């Protein structure tokens, strides 16, 4: 079986779960079900906060460390027509040809909280096929905490145009494992915002003892991404395992 | 009797030159007949150039294929099906030497239509001349080299904007210091107009780009007198006689005023001159009854002459079908000669002077264009405006309005929306030409491999390393380029070195909102899909004509489909892999430049290799009758040629989704 054939099977399985509402345990064979599950990373943040671009750069690092990656990128379904333009993966185009990366776009198909229908089952499925799974939300709502339930590491990108009030108001930042301040082109006060986010992080406590980590990156040029992956994602992965 | 003609807008030879640059007009200096030519391998283009010179062309103009325009080698996976197709393929100096074999470089003015990698091709031209014992100072010609309009409308680019512009300023500086007879830039409105802008926008955005280049050259430390007279311009000659003639007059006058009023150039200086090359409008040519295009071109050529252009290109009647055949190219030259020699039009300067309608229109266009230039300037100049996406949006809007007018019949296109005919046989000359083109790719790759075999690898590597270092140090790149191309380093290797140091251009403004015509709305309501049918919409190869993709994305979404768009510049392998991972029901591939046969056969092959032969493949765009027949054998279920109705597309998708 060629690698692409393997991908075709996975692609078809995703459709079976998403569209035809099949159960993972009925689709996978025992060998597949016995594989150790991937580490699941969920990323949310408002529209145009740079989620897709951030994922693109995170994949760079994961691939450098020889991990395989599956991305589930969710975009909103138009309520009237039921159609959708699924455009997130276009920011990840450097990975189109990489055999170790699998990119799948999903319409939200009426799900709430900027997710898609049958997301937890989908994650259960794809987690048997790679080392890492990254889930990207539509970024339409502030109520993305529903995502936290489905993933291992929950990352949020606050809107850097906002202030402390916005951080406090949006409950999902409080529930995040990692906050990413994306210093975008033309942004001058990222220093101030980074300090503010760190202050905010100190006020957050979690049940399991993980301390909300804050990273400053520039998703556009990749600055700070290595640190985010190593001192953030990997560290949280190890933390959960211990 | 005096032949002084008085114009209310401005006399010929006198600031602001509305009526022409020279007091005596074409009587003192005939316009250059400069026919654009290039296809296949170097030797194919060489023989076309020699033919044109023999037929009385007074300048040469070289067209490069899409891989060359994008700075890529012919064996790059993204170039499949495009090598030698719409222009000549150039990978190394060896190809440049082939194109100009037997042509006296010190006596022939040569123009090269090349932009993003213009500096590299120019370096090849200079290196070739040096080998023949001709110094750069003896060379005359033009490189188009207008990168701003690539970001604006033509979309053939690979570096981030700042570095694209830096390379242009490097060439302007190099020309100012070493090549007094060369025009290092031809600031172009042609492509903007062809992309659907209005005449006013064409003038405004072209001159705004001009202002940006002047400013950047001054920042570099050049004096305006050193480079100002060597800036040239390139406009479109569309159908409307009054508007187009007036547009050319307005552009000339407005540029002179800009240079005088905004940059303080004295009115005696040639730096005020808007020297213009004008090409007949490709977008007005029709595939239906294509011989009618000969008439359209002749009229547009008349417009060039009435507007006082310095240099002209006539399109060949068959170039909507393929790059011009030899016979058609000859008619284009003859049309120029008939107008210049038989009609007496060159006897007087500014023939429309004093004609009220023309004079008024000239002033209207000048005024409106100046207002738009002020808008751009208030945004911080053309570079800033481009980054903000402003002129792109304005052009998109105009293009949509133009298309709607054609669709409604408010604009008449004979043979298309009026007096249209049913049958259109493909001319035999075109079919034969296309057959020949299928072989270019393999031959050019073989040629490139031969050069890679005999060149000195050590010298190539060393020259590329020096080039990278010069790029890092922000030095004028030209001397390093001349050295690098002399080692037969390839275009792709050099452009990759640039990208390593400076990064690559990333498209912005990917998903705009596109207005819908009434026929689209009707189709959407009639054929709403009952399930989320998944469609991957892709563009073949390096082609940048993506406006239709945006329209289709919205259209399919409104039908109820889930649409995945992988972006411009994907190889067939990438498209196939995306189709597999996204588990789409259908792949729609748009082709405009290059060979649809090659695109679809490779796509089918890769889909088959991945086990996805059941995916429905459809196509759309430019297609020739003969190719259309071959496509069904390749498993392409349906092809929608340019001009297909949205209703037909919707009906097809609906039926596929119901299966």
């Amino acid at each position: 079986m060629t690698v692409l054939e393997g991908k075709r099977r996975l692609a078809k399985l995703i459709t079976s779960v998403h569209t035809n509402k099949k159960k993972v345990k009925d689709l996978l064979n025992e060998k597949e079900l016995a594989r150790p599950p991937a580490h699941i990373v969920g990323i949310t943040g408002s529209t145009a906060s740079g989620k897709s671009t951030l994922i693109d750069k995170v994949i760079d690092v994961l691939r450098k460390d020889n991990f395989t990656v599956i991305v589930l990128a969710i975009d909103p379904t138009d309520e009237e027509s039921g159609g959708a333009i699924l455009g997130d993966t276009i920011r990840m185009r450097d990975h189109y040809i990489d055999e170790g990366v699998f990119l799948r776009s999903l319409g939200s198909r009426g799900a709430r909280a900027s997710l898609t229908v049958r997301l937890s089952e989908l994650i259960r499925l794809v987690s048997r096929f790679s080392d890492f799974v990254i889930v990207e939300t539509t970024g339409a709502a502030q109520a993305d905490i529903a995502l936290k339930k489905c993933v291992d590491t929950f990352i949020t990108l606050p809107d850097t145009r906002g202030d402390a009030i916005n951080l406090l108001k949006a409950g999902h930042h409080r529930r995040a494992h990692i906050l990413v301040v994306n210093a975008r082109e033309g942004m001058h006060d990222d220093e101030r915002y980074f300090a503010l986010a760190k202050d905010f992080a100190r006020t957050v406590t979690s049940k399991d003892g993980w301390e909300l980590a804050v990273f400053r990156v520039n998703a556009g040029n990749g600055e700070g991404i290595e640190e985010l992956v190593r001192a953030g994602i990997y560290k949280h992965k190890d933390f959960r395992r211990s | 009797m005096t032949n002084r003609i008085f114009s209310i807008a401005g006399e010929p030879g006198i600031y602001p030159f509305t009526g022409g640059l020279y007091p005596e007009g074409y009587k003192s200096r005939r316009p250059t007949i400069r026919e654009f030519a290039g296809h296949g391998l170097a030797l194919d283009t060489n023989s076309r150039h020699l033919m044109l010179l023999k037929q009385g062309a007074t300048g040469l103009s070289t067209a490069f294929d899409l891989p060359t325009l994008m700075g890529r080698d012919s064996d790059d996976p993204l170039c499949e099906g495009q090598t030698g197709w719409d222009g000549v393929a150039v990978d190394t100096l060896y190809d440049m030497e082939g194109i100009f074999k037997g042509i006296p470089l010190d006596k022939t003015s040569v123009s090269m239509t090349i932009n993003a990698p213009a500096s590299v091709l120019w370096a090849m031209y200079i290196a070739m001349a040096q080998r023949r014992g001709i110094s750069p100072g003896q060379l005359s010609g033009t490189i188009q080299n207008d990168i701003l309009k690539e970001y604006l409308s033509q979309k053939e680019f690979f570096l981030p904007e700042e570095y694209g512009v830096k390379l242009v300023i490097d060439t302007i500086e190099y020309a100012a210091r070493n090549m007094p007879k060369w025009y290092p830039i031809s600031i172009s409105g042609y492509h903007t107009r062809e992309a659907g802008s209005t005449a006013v926008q064409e003038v405004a955005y072209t001159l705004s780009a001009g202002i940006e280049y002047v400013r950047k050259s001054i920042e570099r430390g050049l004096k305006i007198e050193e480079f100002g007279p060597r800036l040239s311009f390139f406009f479109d000659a569309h159908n409307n006689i009054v508007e187009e003639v007036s547009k050319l007059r307005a552009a000339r006058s407005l540029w002179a005023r800009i240079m005088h009023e905004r940059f303080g150039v004295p009115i005696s200086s040639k730096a005020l001159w808007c020297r213009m090359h004008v090409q007949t409008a490709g977008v007005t040519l029709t595939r239906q009854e294509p011989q009618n295009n000969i008439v359209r071109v002749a009229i547009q050529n008349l417009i060039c002459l009435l507007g006082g252009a310095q240099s002209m290109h006539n399109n060949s009647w068959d170039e909507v079908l393929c790059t011009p055949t030899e016979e058609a190219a000859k008619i284009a030259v003859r049309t120029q000669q008939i107008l210049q020699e038989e009609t007496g039009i060159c006897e007087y300067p500014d023939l429309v002077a004093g004609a009220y309608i023309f004079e008024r229109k000239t002033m209207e266009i000048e005024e409106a264009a100046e207002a738009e230039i002020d808008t751009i300037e208030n945004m911080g100049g053309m570079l800033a405006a481009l980054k903000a996406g402003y002129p792109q949006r304005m052009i998109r809007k105009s293009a949509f309005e133009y298309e709607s007018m054609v669709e409604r019949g408010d604009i008449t296109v004979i043979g298309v929306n009026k007096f249209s005919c049913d049958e259109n046989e493909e001319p035999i000359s075109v079919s034969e030409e296309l057959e020949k083109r299928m072989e270019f790719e393999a031959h050019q790759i073989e040629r490139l491999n031969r050069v890679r075999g005999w060149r000195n690898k050590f010298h190539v590597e060393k020259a590329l390393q020096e080039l990278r270092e010069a790029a890092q140090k922000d030095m004028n790149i030209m001397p390093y380029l001349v050295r690098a191309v002399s080692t037969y380093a390839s275009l792709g290797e050099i452009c990759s070195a640039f990208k390593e140091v400076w990064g690559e251009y990333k498209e912005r403004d990917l998903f705009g909102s596109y207005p819908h015509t009434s026929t689209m709305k009707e189709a959407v309501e009639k054929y709403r899909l009952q399930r989320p049918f998944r469609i991957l919409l892709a563009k073949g190869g390096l082609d940048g004509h993506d406006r239709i993709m945006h329209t289709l994305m919205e259209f399919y979404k409104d039908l109820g489909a889930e649409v995945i768009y992988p972006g411009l510049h994907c190889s067939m392998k990438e498209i196939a892999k995306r189709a597999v991972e996204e588990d789409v029901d259908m792949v729609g591939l748009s082709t405009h430049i290059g060979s649809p046969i090659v695109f679809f056969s490779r796509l089918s092959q890769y889909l088959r290799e991945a086990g996805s032969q059941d995916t429905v493949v459809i196509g759309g765009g430019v297609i020739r009758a003969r190719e259309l027949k071959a496509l069904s054998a390749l498993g392409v279920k349906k092809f929608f040629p340019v001009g297909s109705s949205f209703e037909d597309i919707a009906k097809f998708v609906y039926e596929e989704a119901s299966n």
Side-chain angles (χ1 to χ4, degrees):
Chain A
M1 197 164 81
T2 68
V3 184
L4 261 187
E5 276 173 51
K7 291 197 162 181
R8 182 176 140 81
R9 169 165 153 75
L10 175 58
K12 290 275 170 204
L13 287 172
I14 293 173
T15 306
S16 298
V17 171
H18 197 219
T19 307
N20 305 328
K21 318 246 182 289
K22 294 267 170 50
K23 284 261 195 293
V24 173
K25 62 175 170 45
D26 302 330
L27 292 169
L28 298 189
N29 57 41
E30 271 176 37
K31 218 173 125 195
E32 284 166 332
L33 284 169
R35 286 181 197 155
H39 185 77
I40 318 291
V41 179
I43 297 188
T44 187
S46 53
T47 308
S49 57
K51 295 186 295 295
S52 305
T53 313
L54 178 74
I55 292 172
D56 173 50
K57 296 299 193 307
V58 168
I59 298 174
D60 285 343
V61 180
L62 293 174
R63 291 299 293 144
K64 214 157 64 182
D65 293 344
N66 235 344
F67 291 120
T68 53
V69 189
I70 295 172
V71 176
L72 300 179
I74 308 166
D75 264 321
T77 295
D78 182 56
E79 274 179 36
E80 195 195 328
S81 70
I85 293 176
L86 308 177
D88 288 331
T89 52
I90 199 168
R91 318 271 175 201
M92 306 165 202
R93 54 177 305 160
D94 289 349
H95 306 289
Y96 282 174
I97 213 74
D98 185 347
E99 296 299 347
V101 178
F102 182 103
L103 307 173
R104 181 64 176 256
S105 318
L106 304 165
S108 59
R109 298 192 182 172
R112 286 181 308 163
S114 66
L115 301 178
T116 185
V117 293
R118 301 187 52 78
L119 180 62
S120 51
E121 192 70 8
L122 281 169
I123 291 175
R124 207 166 295 142
L125 169 74
V126 299
S127 70
R128 304 292 166 177
F129 290 84
S130 65
D131 302 315
F132 279 84
V133 171
I134 303 176
V135 182
E136 176 181 352
T137 69
T138 70
Q142 294 192 330
D144 291 335
I145 19 187
L147 177 64
K148 192 182 176 184
K149 294 197 189 101
C150 313
V151 303
D152 301 318
T153 300
F154 182 47
I155 300 178
T156 69
L157 277 84
D159 185 341
T160 47
R161 285 166 303 187
D163 55 18
I165 302 296
N166 299 86
L167 270 174
L168 293 166
K169 204 169 66 181
H172 60 295
H173 297 311
R174 197 168 276 285
R175 308 278 293 268
H177 299 115
I178 298 172
L179 263 180
V180 175
V181 177
N182 185 15
R184 305 157 66 90
E185 201 184 337
M187 185 181 168
H188 303 297
D189 57 348
D190 52 307
E191 193 71 49
R192 176 197 66 84
Y193 196 87
F194 185 51
L196 192 141
K198 278 200 292 201
D199 284 345
F200 166 75
R202 277 186 216 111
T203 70
V204 178
T205 47
S206 71
K207 280 180 217 150
D208 61 4
W210 170 261
E211 286 171 20
L212 172 55
V214 186
F215 293 90
R216 180 172 49 172
V217 305
N218 180 331
N221 64 20
E223 270 171 36
I225 302 286
E226 289 241 14
E227 208 199 331
L228 163 68
V229 174
R230 296 186 205 290
I233 297 174
Y234 291 172
K235 195 175 162 196
H236 186 248
K237 184 178 174 221
D238 294 341
F239 172 84
R240 280 182 61 98
R241 221 184 265 159
S242 60
Chain B
M1 199 183 85
T2 171
N3 61 7
R4 264 265 109 90
I5 299 145
F6 295 98
S7 160
I8 43 172
E11 287 176 62
I14 296 172
Y15 176 84
F17 310 104
T18 316
L21 293 179
Y22 305 103
E24 300 291 320
Y26 296 134
K27 212 170 173 182
S28 53
R29 188 187 279 252
R30 281 281 165 91
T32 309
I33 299 177
R34 193 188 285 287
E35 289 293 319
F36 190 44
H39 69 285
L41 273 55
L43 300 182
D44 302 298
T45 299
N46 179 250
S47 60
R48 180 63 60 85
H49 277 341
L50 291 170
M51 181 280 280
L52 287 167
L53 288 174
K54 196 171 146 228
Q55 297 304 331
T58 47
L60 291 177
S61 171
T62 306
F64 299 98
D65 69 358
L66 196 53
T68 307
L69 293 170
M70 295 294 288
R72 287 173 187 267
D73 287 341
S74 300
D75 57 355
D76 187 310
L78 262 184
C79 303
E80 283 178 309
Q82 297 150 87
T83 296
W85 199 259
D86 287 78
V88 60
V90 174
D91 290 318
T92 67
L93 176 59
Y94 185 57
D95 297 318
M96 188 64 90
E97 289 166 336
I99 296 172
F100 293 99
K101 203 173 160 196
I103 294 168
L105 300 181
D106 48 347
K107 295 191 186 74
T108 316
S109 154
V110 171
S111 158
M112 288 186 270
T113 300
I114 187 86
N115 293 280
S119 53
V120 187
L121 276 287
W122 194 36
M124 287 183 187
Y125 192 83
I126 294 166
M128 164 178 68
Q130 282 173 338
R131 289 176 174 219
R132 294 201 208 164
I134 302 162
S135 72
Q138 290 170 273
L139 297 172
S140 69
T142 311
I143 39 175
Q144 192 167 82
N145 202 21
D146 175 10
I147 197 67
L148 287 173
K149 67 99 175 41
E150 296 297 330
Y151 299 114
L152 177 62
S153 50
Q154 176 94 337
K155 301 206 166 192
E156 285 157 9
F157 41 58
F158 56 86
L159 292 174
E161 291 97 333
E162 278 80 5
Y163 296 103
V165 172
K166 175 225 161 10
L167 281 180
V168 173
I169 306 303
D170 279 2
T171 58
I172 291 177
E173 185 181 34
Y174 190 81
R177 305 264 189 257
N178 307 292
M179 298 177 70
K181 289 160 73 181
W182 199 279
Y183 294 100
I185 189 167
S186 175
I187 306 162
S188 310
Y190 185 85
H191 317 80
T192 300
R193 187 63 184 281
E194 293 280 300
S197 85
T198 63
V200 169
Q201 288 167 337
E202 180 189 352
V203 173
Y205 299 149
T206 308
L207 302 190
S208 290
I211 293 172
E212 193 75 87
Y213 292 125
V214 169
R215 216 163 18 218
K216 288 271 189 281
S217 300
I218 293 171
E219 277 171 26
R220 180 66 70 90
L222 290 167
K223 291 194 187 67
I224 211 161
E225 276 308 315
E226 292 179 301
F227 67 90
R230 305 314 289 175
L231 301 176
S232 65
F233 293 84
F234 175 27
F235 293 102
D236 192 84
H238 214 275
N239 276 336
N240 187 305
I241 294 183
V242 172
E243 186 172 64
E244 293 302 285
V245 172
S246 305
K247 174 190 80 184
L248 299 178
R249 299 169 90 235
R252 197 163 37 236
S253 158
L254 187 49
W255 181 248
R257 285 185 36 235
I258 285 168
M259 289 296 262
H260 179 59
E261 292 168 11
R262 302 189 191 210
F263 292 102
V265 176
I267 58 168
S268 59
S269 166
K270 285 189 178 172
L272 300 174
W273 286 17
C274 179
R275 289 181 225 247
M276 52 175 81
H277 173 72
V278 182
Q279 178 173 340
T280 61
V283 76
T284 64
L285 305 184
T286 65
R287 306 168 70 78
Q288 295 85 348
E289 303 181 351
Q291 282 90 343
N292 293 348
N293 294 331
I294 298 175
V295 182
R296 292 190 178 98
V297 167
I299 293 165
Q300 292 161 2
N301 192 186
L302 176 68
I303 287 170
C304 302
L305 289 160
L306 291 174
Q310 275 59 57
S311 163
M312 295 162 202
H313 163 91
N314 275 358
N315 288 328
S316 298
W317 64 268
D318 60 359
E319 63 183 73
V320 273
L321 303 166
C322 66
T323 39
T325 55
E326 180 153 336
E327 195 193 10
K330 203 158 104 188
I331 293 175
V333 177
R334 291 289 182 255
T335 307
Q336 295 221 38
Q337 290 162 335
I338 289 167
L339 271 162
Q340 286 193 28
E341 315 261 343
E342 294 185 1
T343 66
I345 198 170
C346 295
E347 292 302 305
Y348 306 94
D350 199 17
L351 279 167
V352 301
Y356 171 69
I357 301 290
F358 284 91
E359 297 281 19
R360 191 182 64 180
K361 195 79 187 166
T362 302
M363 287 188 276
E364 276 172 12
I365 292 177
E366 185 168 341
E367 204 172 303
E370 193 168 17
E372 187 65 7
I373 289 171
D374 287 335
T375 305
I376 299 273
E377 285 299 288
N378 287 335
M379 298 177 81
M382 195 55 166
L383 193 54
L386 273 173
K387 285 183 160 185
Y390 168 76
Q392 295 95 316
R393 278 197 301 279
M394 298 303 284
I395 293 173
R396 210 182 283 152
K397 204 169 134 226
S398 305
F400 178 75
E401 275 160 22
Y402 183 82
E403 278 159 23
S404 308
M405 280 162 85
V406 173
E407 195 182 355
R408 286 197 305 267
D410 293 349
I411 290 176
T412 301
V413 187
I414 301 297
V416 176
N417 66 7
K418 199 169 186 183
F419 310 118
S420 56
C421 54
D422 302 330
E423 271 307 300
N424 276 299
E425 269 297 305
E426 183 169 273
I428 290 163
S429 55
V430 172
S431 300
E432 285 169 354
E433 191 74 22
L434 288 169
E435 204 81 346
K436 221 170 77 188
R437 270 160 217 212
M438 297 299 288
E439 295 160 12
F440 289 151
E441 184 170 312
H443 288 165
Q444 180 64 18
I445 292 175
E446 196 188 308
R447 196 176 153 91
L448 172 60
N449 286 335
R450 274 209 308 276
V451 175
R452 287 209 174 114
W454 55 247
R455 65 183 188 177
N456 184 322
K457 286 181 190 62
F458 175 74
H459 288 164
V460 173
E461 234 352 279
K462 187 163 168 279
L464 287 174
Q465 189 48 36
E466 285 168 5
L467 188 70
R468 280 187 208 103
E469 283 161 19
Q472 267 153 3
K473 287 184 195 141
D474 206 22
M475 300 164 83
N476 190 313
I477 210 79
M478 280 311 298
Y480 298 90
L481 276 178
V482 174
R483 276 203 287 280
V485 299
S486 300
T487 67
Y488 292 86
S490 73
L491 177 64
E493 290 161 348
I494 289 170
C495 292
S496 298
F498 285 156
K499 287 184 232 176
E500 276 169 45
V501 181
W502 292 330
E504 224 173 317
Y505 179 79
K506 288 244 158 57
E507 273 176 277
R508 293 193 193 84
D509 194 22
L510 290 163
F511 303 100
S513 190
Y514 292 80
H516 296 184
T517 64
S518 53
T519 51
M520 283 168 79
K521 281 181 194 137
E522 280 165 31
V524 160
E525 273 155 35
K526 198 162 157 195
Y527 294 106
R528 181 64 50 79
L529 305 176
Q530 298 310 307
R531 68 177 174 104
F533 190 68
R534 286 170 71 86
I535 303 174
L536 181 81
L537 208 53
K539 190 88 213 171
L542 293 162
D543 181 9
H545 296 83
D546 64 346
R547 206 154 43 78
I548 185 66
M549 308 304 282
H550 295 289
T551 307
L552 281 173
M553 264 192 270
E554 292 244 339
F555 181 64
Y556 286 142
K557 183 197 82 181
D558 290 347
L559 271 177
E562 289 185 343
V563 191
I564 295 124
Y565 175 58
L568 284 175
H569 308 162
C570 286
S571 68
M572 291 304 124
K573 211 169 224 162
E574 287 176 313
I575 292 170
K577 185 165 172 276
R578 294 301 298 127
V580 168
E581 292 178 5
E582 296 288 0
D583 191 27
V584 293
D585 300 287
M586 186 170 100
V587 178
L589 183 69
S590 157
T591 64
H592 189 110
I593 293 179
S595 164
I597 304 287
V598 175
F599 287 146
F600 284 102
S601 62
R602 304 265 162 93
L603 178 63
S604 306
Q605 180 198 332
Y606 297 136
L607 282 172
R608 221 170 27 244
E609 282 171 15
S612 285
Q613 53 272 34
D614 56 339
T615 310
V616 174
V617 176
I618 66 164
V622 175
I623 192 93
R624 292 89 184 170
R626 191 176 274 224
E627 291 167 333
L628 202 51
K629 280 180 205 145
L631 282 188
S632 55
L634 290 170
V636 178
K637 193 148 186 188
K638 183 90 182 167
F639 193 96
F640 294 98
V642 171
S644 298
S645 81
F646 282 103
E647 160 130 27
D648 286 348
I649 298 171
K651 186 162 177 272
F652 176 83
V653 173
Y654 182 83
E655 282 164 7
E656 284 302 315
S658 309
N659 277 341

